[in-house]
Amino acid sequence: MNNKQIKNNEINNSSTKKYSRSHEPIFWGLFGAGGMLTAFFTPIMILITGLLIPLGIINADNLSYQKIYQFTGTWYGAAILFVLVALPLWHTLHRIFHSLHDLRIKRGRDWQQVLCYGFAFAVSVFVFTLLLQMLTL
Amino acid sequence: MSKRKPYTREMKSDWWLKDLFYSKYMLREGSSILITLYSLILAWGVFRLSQGEVAFNAWMEALQSPLSIILHIVALIFALYHSITWFSLAPKALDLWIKGKRVDDKIIVTGHYVAFAVISLFCLVSILI
């Protein structure tokens, strides 16, 4: 090989070098969006569905089957419900994954990651499928 | 082979209990567990909704049990703690500049609380309509 060939090879090598992209930005984005949603919406949601209605302070008719079913049947209702139920999970499971490190649980770090994000993903798919079924177009 | 023997400081898993600052940090992270539980309760509600009126009403009735009420009270406290910590961190995430001047932290935090109040009120009103 002459010098020119070597130089060419070097250029080729550097241009075909594979850079592995981190997938952290996707999870980080979902974490941020979920955190924002949770901060603004979760307290009032817990207050309404978990306390005011079960304790009878707000009449249960306000969250009746007919009312919710109608709302869920619309595409915007389904979308809102999907985001409110699933998005917080991408925030909380991200935090739980990193808390496992804080708690010095070192074994199977990659499996911890698969389980944490996999859990958020599984519940999201579960809710998404149900809502899709209930859409009345 | 390197003969280097680096000293790694021992760190126990209860390090966060020994300093209030770190304990509060872990409490904030721990809020995730209860918020996860709440999301699962809602996901279950969607499932019951898909099964029909009887199933949905059974889910609504289950929410009236004392255990559920206690769980939701604790979850509410943790959720509020998450909101407070999230809003107090907001100026660090949201570096706002207007006319060459950095917007005061207090304005950003107050803005978040105002939005929080408006959203909460909006949710309450839209449920009641």
Side-chain angles (χ1 to χ4, degrees):
Chain A
M1 248 195 284
N2 61 32
N3 268 345
K4 211 178 175 186
Q5 270 177 319
I6 291 171
K7 224 177 186 178
N8 273 341
N9 270 344
E10 268 172 9
I11 289 166
N12 278 340
N13 280 342
S14 64
S15 63
T16 52
K17 190 182 169 193
K18 284 204 178 96
Y19 293 96
S20 62
R21 271 168 172 256
S22 163
H23 46 241
E24 183 70 14
I26 300 165
F27 293 131
W28 178 255
L30 285 166
F31 161 78
M36 204 57 151
L37 185 92
T38 304
F40 282 119
F41 285 92
T42 305
I44 190 66
M45 282 165 63
I46 296 177
L47 189 68
I48 292 172
T49 70
L51 295 171
L52 293 181
I53 287 175
L55 292 173
I57 299 165
I58 290 182
N59 195 320
D61 289 344
N62 288 305
L63 208 73
S64 69
Y65 173 77
Q66 265 78 22
K67 207 177 161 189
I68 301 296
Y69 193 78
Q70 251 174 18
F71 181 68
T72 324
T74 63
W75 64 267
Y76 60 88
I80 290 171
L81 219 65
F82 176 67
V83 170
L84 287 178
V85 176
L87 198 53
L89 289 170
W90 290 93
H91 171 80
T92 56
L93 268 304
H94 176 92
R95 273 196 169 165
I96 288 170
F97 170 63
H98 287 284
S99 296
L100 290 171
H101 167 80
D102 291 339
L103 290 172
R104 318 285 298 154
I105 300 164
K106 291 172 188 165
R107 279 184 61 195
R109 215 37 206 145
D110 30 358
W111 279 105
Q112 287 176 25
Q113 192 167 23
V114 169
L115 283 175
C116 284
Y117 294 121
F119 184 76
F121 181 73
V123 178
S124 300
V125 171
F126 176 68
V127 174
F128 187 83
T129 320
L130 289 170
L131 289 171
L132 209 61
Q133 275 183 337
M134 284 190 279
L135 267 185
T136 45
L137 291 168
Chain B
M1 271 290 276
S2 162
K3 288 197 175 123
R4 195 171 148 265
K5 260 180 150 180
Y7 169 72
T8 34
R9 200 164 150 264
E10 188 195 12
M11 200 166 181
K12 290 194 178 123
S13 50
D14 63 347
W15 58 273
W16 50 279
L17 284 170
K18 306 205 162 128
D19 186 318
L20 185 65
F21 180 83
Y22 297 125
S23 303
K24 278 161 82 181
Y25 160 78
M26 280 308 252
L27 271 180
R28 188 193 79 190
E29 303 298 292
S31 72
S32 296
I33 297 167
L34 281 136
I35 296 166
T36 304
L37 268 177
Y38 178 64
S39 256
L40 288 179
I41 290 170
L42 288 186
W44 192 250
V46 175
F47 175 56
R48 299 299 268 166
L49 182 77
S50 75
Q51 289 180 323
E53 190 163 3
V54 179
F56 182 74
N57 287 342
W59 177 74
M60 289 277 277
E61 215 165 285
L63 290 178
Q64 292 173 6
S65 76
L67 186 75
S68 165
I69 299 291
I70 292 166
L71 181 75
H72 280 91
I73 290 172
V74 178
L76 178 61
I77 293 166
F78 271 100
L80 281 172
Y81 189 59
H82 165 78
S83 302
I84 293 165
T85 54
W86 193 267
F87 297 155
S88 66
L89 277 172
K92 289 195 172 68
L94 198 82
D95 196 26
L96 266 186
W97 290 72
I98 291 174
K99 285 180 188 164
K101 267 181 136 185
R102 193 172 183 276
V103 177
D104 194 44
D105 285 4
K106 265 189 195 157
I107 296 171
I108 297 176
V109 175
T110 314
H112 275 76
Y113 275 103
V114 171
F116 177 73
V118 170
I119 287 169
S120 300
L121 204 68
F122 171 79
C123 289
L124 262 179
V125 170
S126 54
I127 269 290
L128 287 172
I129 290 170

